[in-house]
Amino acid sequence: MTSQNSRLGPKLRLGVNIDHVATIRNARGGSYPDPLRAAKMAAAAGADGITAHLREDRRHITDTDITRLCDEIDLPLNLEIAATDEMLDIALRHKPHTACIVPEKREERTTEGGLDVVGGFDKLKPFVTQLSDAGIRVSLFIEPDVAALDASKALGAPVVELHTGAYCDATDIAEQEREFERITTAAAHAQAIGLECHAGHGLTFDSAKPVAAIASIMELNIGHFLVGEAIFIGFEAAIQKMRALMNEARPS
Ligand code: PXP
């Protein structure tokens, strides 16, 4: 979509979000399907990291899942958490590779929009500091917006993840192009101010490809679509197909 697409960059990592394996498990209340098994399968299929969101209401991933993931997977764990004292304690106890701070509303179906890093600066600052002091890499899930990037930098987070939901949900080409432009502009600004830039939410085979081609984006985190595709083509095949299209969009 823009000139950035043709630039080559370093290897783009794929983080596989396994929340919705737990959603299916929890629909019956038992232990099947097991998110840990899915995480191991994702690793074998070419994932570079595993992402799991421990929500306040534990609607999918549970505390036990986090313990098992920390103990039994070899890949880096990106633990998504809200900025609450409970989640801070859990992150400090488990010390995941990355803690991605996300906004969370109890009534939402999924994470709607990015963190208010400007308005919530004073509340977020001690979270970022405590996690960083514990050696946990902090990522902030934000809208693709210059002010949010500058506030993230000022908060001292080394990583931001750009919310791609508006781009993925766009219902016409003009809106999609506008949203895509916001992502490319934000990714370039992140790079310019020294933030590692990730992206995710709502990505599919079609929508991930142009995002994967943006050279300043280092990681895509994808969950719902891959778990959905598992029904039709299998989980490993879905991850391999995503990995292949990412490699094609961004040869390293
Ligand atoms: N990144 C973050 C920070 C998220 O909160 C989510 C959803 O939990 C995702 C990526 C993955 O979104 P999706 O499941 O729509 O691929």
Side-chain angles (χ1 to χ4, degrees), residues 160-231:
V160 288
E161 179 168 331
L162 304 179
H163 196 306
T164 51
Y167 156 71
C168 293
D169 292 344
T171 49
D172 63 67
I173 296 285
E175 186 190 355
Q176 192 186 42
E177 284 185 352
R178 260 195 320 276
E179 291 299 335
F180 185 75
E181 200 56 45
R182 286 179 71 213
I183 295 169
T184 55
T185 303
H189 187 69
Q191 188 174 40
I193 63 174
L195 287 170
E196 181 171 317
C197 188
H198 301 173
H201 206 279
L203 293 169
T204 64
F205 293 141
D206 289 339
S207 56
K209 207 167 180 173
V211 179
I214 301 171
S216 40
I217 291 182
M218 305 303 298
E219 180 173 307
L220 301 183
N221 283 303
I222 309 177
H224 182 264
F225 177 76
L226 292 173
V227 175
E229 264 315 274
I231 296 167

Side-chain angles (χ1 to χ4, degrees), residues 18 21-22 25 31-40 65 68-69:
I18 53 165
V21 177
R25 175 196 60 194
S31 59
Y32 179 87
D34 181 4
L36 177 64
R37 181 176 167 198
K40 289 183 174 173
D65 291 327
R68 293 174 71 224
L69 288 166

Side-chain angles (χ1 to χ4, degrees), residues 96-112:
H97 178 263
T98 302
C100 179
I101 306 180
V102 301
E104 202 175 292
K105 287 193 226 107
R106 199 174 284 209
E107 67 282 6
E108 70 191 355
R109 261 192 247 162
T110 181
T111 313
E112 293 165 355

Side-chain angles (χ1 to χ4, degrees), residues 63-252:
D63 300 67
T64 306
D65 291 327
I66 297 300
T67 303
R68 293 174 71 224
L69 288 166
C70 286
D71 290 349
E72 295 185 51
I73 59 168
D74 296 326
L75 293 181
L77 177 68
N78 174 30
L79 175 64
E80 294 179 359
I81 50 170
T84 64
D85 290 341
E86 182 200 16
M87 291 300 154
L88 180 64
D89 284 350
I90 291 170
L92 292 175
R93 197 158 4 101
H94 287 292
K95 293 201 170 36
H97 178 263
T98 302
C100 179
I101 306 180
V102 301
E104 202 175 292
K105 287 193 226 107
R106 199 174 284 209
E107 67 282 6
E108 70 191 355
R109 261 192 247 162
T110 181
T111 313
E112 293 165 355
L115 265 181
D116 179 11
V117 278
V118 176
F121 191 94
D122 292 342
K123 186 184 167 223
L124 289 166
K125 184 73 183 162
F127 278 85
V128 176
T129 303
Q130 287 181 79
L131 291 164
S132 302
D133 287 351
I136 302 166
R137 196 171 70 139
V138 178
S139 170
L140 300 174
F141 189 44
I142 58 168
E143 287 298 312
D145 172 75
V146 166
L149 286 156
D150 290 340
S152 301
K153 180 74 183 173
L155 279 166
V159 181
V160 288
E161 179 168 331
L162 304 179
H163 196 306
T164 51
Y167 156 71
C168 293
D169 292 344
T171 49
D172 63 67
I173 296 285
E175 186 190 355
Q176 192 186 42
E177 284 185 352
R178 260 195 320 276
E179 291 299 335
F180 185 75
E181 200 56 45
R182 286 179 71 213
I183 295 169
T184 55
T185 303
H189 187 69
Q191 188 174 40
I193 63 174
L195 287 170
E196 181 171 317
C197 188
H198 301 173
H201 206 279
L203 293 169
T204 64
F205 293 141
D206 289 339
S207 56
K209 207 167 180 173
V211 179
I214 301 171
S216 40
I217 291 182
M218 305 303 298
E219 180 173 307
L220 301 183
N221 283 303
I222 309 177
H224 182 264
F225 177 76
L226 292 173
V227 175
E229 264 315 274
I231 296 167
F232 304 110
I233 65 170
F235 196 44
E236 273 186 294
I239 293 166
Q240 283 163 353
K241 189 168 167 182
M242 187 62 81
R243 180 72 264 172
L245 75 81
M246 286 165 60
N247 292 348
E248 201 182 304
R250 228 345 230 283
S252 45

